[in-house]
Amino acid sequence: MRPFRIQSWAAAVSLAGACTLAGPASAPAAPNRAALDYVALGDSYSAGVGAGDYLPEGASCLRSSRAYPALWASTHASSFAFAACNGAKTGDVLTKQLGALSGRTNLVSVTAGGSDASWAKVMGICALPGTKTCLNAIDAARSYVDRTLPANLDRLYSGIRGKAPRARVVVLGYPHFYQLHGTCTRGLEDTERAALNAAIDHLDGVIAQHATGHGFAFADARTAFGGHEICSAGPWLRSVEVLDLTESYHPNASGQSLGYLPLFTRAA
């Protein structure tokens, strides 16, 4: 998989125009900014699945022009490699995406761990009738996060540091899926929603511990998305999309531009 790369600010402007990026992404870059070589690694949350306007390069990865890495790079980066890919596990990031890094890279973002824990499978199970079956699937995912994910994260983070020794690395977490006691009148029970949120807390806690242990910054998406979960009045996450299950439980365009983008901007 060859990452989508912007080699200069002029190319970034051209991409932004072609993809009709809106809002902050269309603003001009700050003048006289030092060269900033930025690489975006990770899974569907960094690729921008759910935000629409997918780029033609690497179409199977569902990289969106509305994803926070593309929006941030269009106003800040002198070069940009967009390697994040839908469905990527930590091992996929390690073996297929780190080629975008080099000694010149001075900023890296990454989301990874959710696909390892099989969240898509868990959500598919929880969408079916049966609270106990849903809770069992959540427990299995939590067990994986405890037993297997830590070593996977350490291998990935060590690989990133080895390929980009001078880079600032920002590891972004995952938001809660649901606002409890919210506007939803159908679907999961609040018991299931609360268990899913608690499992995300657990996942983010493991990711944060290992990210900071490697000297990386951790950016907490739960805070950034607070009040905009599914079942809120203004959700920044997609609920179940019957006609496109891939986009279910992913940030929409607002989640990328109003949730992840400011979060990453503060941490970068």
Side-chain angles (χ1 to χ4, degrees), residues 21-237:
L21 297 181
S26 62
N32 302 318
R33 184 180 296 275
L36 184 59
D37 298 323
Y38 168 41
V39 177
L41 307 172
D43 56 20
S44 55
Y45 275 64
S46 287
V49 174
D53 281 350
Y54 300 115
L55 300 166
E57 173 110 359
S60 63
C61 284
L62 294 178
R63 300 185 189 108
S64 172
S65 63
R66 297 177 177 177
Y68 76 86
L71 297 177
W72 193 90
S74 69
T75 57
H76 294 85
S78 53
S79 74
F80 172 44
F82 198 0
C85 190
N86 178 46
K89 298 182 178 181
T90 52
D92 297 317
V93 180
L94 181 64
T95 60
K96 299 177 182 180
Q97 297 183 18
L98 298 198
L101 302 174
S102 73
R104 297 185 303 275
T105 304
N106 44 29
L107 180 63
V108 177
S109 66
V110 58
T111 56
S115 293
D116 294 62
S118 300
W119 274 114
K121 180 180 178 181
V122 171
M123 298 313 299
I125 292 171
C126 287
L128 300 174
T131 297
K132 184 176 180 180
T133 304
C134 173
L135 296 180
N136 287 342
I138 294 169
D139 286 343
R142 289 183 63 129
S143 178
Y144 182 93
V145 169
D146 285 333
R147 292 182 294 102
T148 306
L149 184 61
N152 291 349
L153 292 172
D154 285 336
R155 281 190 288 270
L156 172 59
Y157 296 157
S158 295
I160 291 172
R161 180 53 72 214
K163 290 282 190 177
R166 295 191 297 272
R168 176 167 177 77
V169 180
V170 179
V171 178
L172 298 96
Y174 300 92
H176 284 155
F177 286 156
Y178 287 101
Q179 182 179 98
L180 301 181
H181 315 298
T183 61
C184 296
T185 58
R186 294 182 296 176
L188 277 62
E189 300 290 336
D190 265 354
T191 300
E192 297 166 300
R193 293 169 183 155
L196 286 164
N197 285 350
I200 291 170
D201 288 336
H202 191 64
L203 172 63
D204 280 346
V206 170
I207 291 171
Q209 178 185 356
H210 288 266
T212 56
H214 285 261
F216 300 164
F218 176 76
D220 193 341
R222 292 167 295 178
T223 301
F225 279 72
H228 294 281
E229 302 89 349
I230 299 167
C231 300
S232 68
W236 291 349
L237 289 155

